[in-house]
């Protein structure tokens, strides 16, 4: 029986306007009534999750920062965190600092962006809703990255926004040359950098072990490159209708797009079957 449902946020559980559809909201309520836990599994920080999820009884845990952080939603306590050495962060920055890119630091449950790089967000080819979200979850700091690193805690993820292919290629080449790092992407103009061992699939497996649940008892939904390991790790990996071809290729099943409430539509018969089994009782 399904015990955990792992859901990516943007392009998956949230529609193009960053909203939770009524059908997806109904899936949350059904999960709560059946004792099934919903687990946001996202590149976002915990503070960047929609309030409707953070306060919903079906949501007790979240996998954040592309698997680098597993958090207890009710208390905000970090249960697991995989970090990037600050010396390595600084080395990457110094080798990329002259390029017109952002170099966002995920630390302390916050996304820190250098003030001089913040205006680059306006140049990105993203929807207005996505740009509004990106701006809204960033804390702008003045001064150098070197000084900022000294002020903040451990860094669990880096995000680079770019608008030129040459900058994308340079960042990818640099990250790929570092054995301690891995990269993924959730947007057509970003690169998400974590420790090699931090990805959504690893976060899923860690939480399953923590709760004593088999990965085979999990369903995972995703649409982007950073969701591939999660879909591969779950017993049932489901790609959205708007997913990339690479994600669809590793999925066990497909569902409708995020704008067609694909998560809710897929789960409706699954939850109905669970409810039916519970109503019939043991035989």
């Amino acid at each position: 029986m399904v015990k955990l449902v792992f859901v990516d946020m943007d392009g998956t559980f949230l529609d193009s306007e960053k909203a939770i559809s009524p059908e997806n909201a109904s899936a949350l309520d059904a999960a709560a009534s059946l004792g099934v836990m919903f687990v946001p599994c996202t590149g976002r920080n915990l503070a960047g999750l929609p309030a409707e999820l953070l306060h919903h009884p079906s949501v007790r845990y979240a996998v954040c920062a592309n698997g680098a952080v597993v958090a207890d939603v009710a208390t905000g306590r970090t249960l697991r965190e995989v970090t990037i050495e600050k010396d390595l962060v600084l080395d990457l920055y110094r080798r990329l600092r002259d390029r017109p890119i952002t170099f966002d630091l995920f630390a302390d449950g916050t996304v820190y962006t250098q003030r001089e790089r913040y205006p680059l967000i306006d140049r990105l080819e993203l929807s207005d809703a996505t740009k509004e979200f990106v701006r809204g979850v960033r804390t702008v700091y003045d001064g150098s990255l070197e000084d900022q690193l000294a002020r903040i805690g451990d860094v669990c993820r880096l995000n680079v926004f770019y608008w030129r292919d040459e900058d994308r290629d340079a960042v990818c080449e640099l990250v790929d040359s570092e054995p301690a790092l891995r990269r993924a992407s959730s947007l057509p103009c970003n690169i998400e950098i974590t420790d090699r061992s931090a990805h959504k699939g690893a976060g899923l497996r860690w939480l399953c072990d923590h709760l004593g649940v088999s990965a085979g008892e999990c369903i995972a939904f995703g649409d982007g490159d950073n969701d591939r390991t999660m879909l591969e790790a779950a017993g049932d990996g489901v790609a959205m209708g708007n997913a990339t071809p690479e994600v669809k290729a590793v999925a066990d099943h497909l569902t409708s797009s995020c704008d067609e409430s694909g998560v809710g539509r897929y789960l409706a018969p699954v939850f109905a079957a669970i409810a039916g089994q519970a109503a019939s009782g043991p035989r």
Side-chain angles (χ1 to χ4, degrees):
M1 186 180 77
V2 177
K3 294 185 178 178
L4 297 174
V5 176
F6 289 81
V7 286
D8 171 53
M9 290 290 100
D10 304 284
T12 300
F13 196 68
L14 305 181
D15 64 22
S16 299
E17 297 302 315
K18 307 299 180 186
I20 300 174
S21 71
E23 201 165 351
N24 284 352
S26 294
L28 288 173
D29 294 339
S33 68
L34 295 170
V36 176
M37 285 189 283
F38 254 79
V39 182
C41 196
T42 176
R44 300 183 181 199
N45 281 328
L46 187 63
L49 292 176
E52 304 99 302
L53 279 175
L54 293 174
H55 299 141
H56 198 276
S58 68
V59 180
R60 294 174 53 190
Y61 303 95
V63 177
C64 300
N66 279 353
V69 173
V70 180
D72 182 308
V73 170
T75 64
R77 185 167 65 94
T78 296
L79 304 177
R80 176 182 187 258
E81 184 172 21
V82 181
T83 61
I84 306 172
E85 292 291 335
K86 286 188 175 181
D87 286 345
L88 181 52
V89 173
L90 188 56
D91 180 61
L92 290 176
Y93 177 73
R94 286 173 173 168
R95 294 163 73 178
L96 295 169
R97 69 193 313 163
D98 294 332
R99 295 186 176 274
I101 60 174
T102 70
F103 196 86
D104 308 318
L105 307 171
F106 282 59
D108 310 326
T110 303
V111 186
Y112 297 101
T113 301
Q114 218 171 4
R115 186 175 300 280
E116 65 189 55
R117 296 179 185 271
Y118 185 76
L120 292 171
I121 295 171
D122 294 331
R123 304 184 66 173
L124 303 176
E125 294 185 6
L126 297 172
S127 68
D128 290 341
T130 300
K131 283 187 181 180
E132 182 180 359
F133 169 75
V134 168
R135 294 189 192 99
V137 297
R138 273 156 175 73
T139 296
V140 177
Y141 68 89
D142 295 302
S144 70
L145 181 132
E146 289 87 344
D147 289 342
Q148 185 66 10
L149 278 177
R151 287 191 289 263
I152 62 177
D154 292 331
V155 176
C156 64
R157 186 192 138 187
L158 303 170
N159 180 81
V160 171
F161 280 122
Y162 62 86
W163 59 275
R164 301 188 310 184
D165 290 349
E166 63 192 82
D167 298 315
R168 175 201 62 204
D169 294 344
V171 175
C172 290
E173 182 179 359
L174 182 56
V175 174
D176 291 347
S177 71
E178 294 288 348
L181 300 177
R182 68 183 299 125
R183 61 178 169 88
S185 178
S186 59
L187 293 167
C189 55
N190 86 324
I191 300 168
E192 302 165 354
I193 305 164
T194 58
D195 179 86
R196 170 63 61 180
S197 64
H199 52 84
K200 290 187 179 184
L204 180 153
R205 288 193 292 268
W206 187 92
L207 184 58
C208 284
D209 289 343
H210 178 72
L211 298 175
V213 174
S214 166
E217 298 173 299
C218 301
I219 300 177
F221 295 86
D223 73 301
D225 174 60
N226 63 343
D227 298 317
R228 291 173 61 184
T229 59
M230 174 178 66
L231 268 59
E232 292 172 327
D236 186 10
V238 184
M240 307 301 293
N242 53 282
T244 65
E246 294 79 10
V247 173
K248 290 179 179 179
V250 302
D252 298 298
H253 295 101
L254 302 178
T255 188
S256 307
S257 73
C258 64
D259 288 325
E260 299 169 307
S261 303
V263 173
R265 290 188 181 188
Y266 188 90
L267 289 175
V270 175
F271 287 167
I274 295 173
Q277 292 171 3
S280 64
R283 297 184 177 180

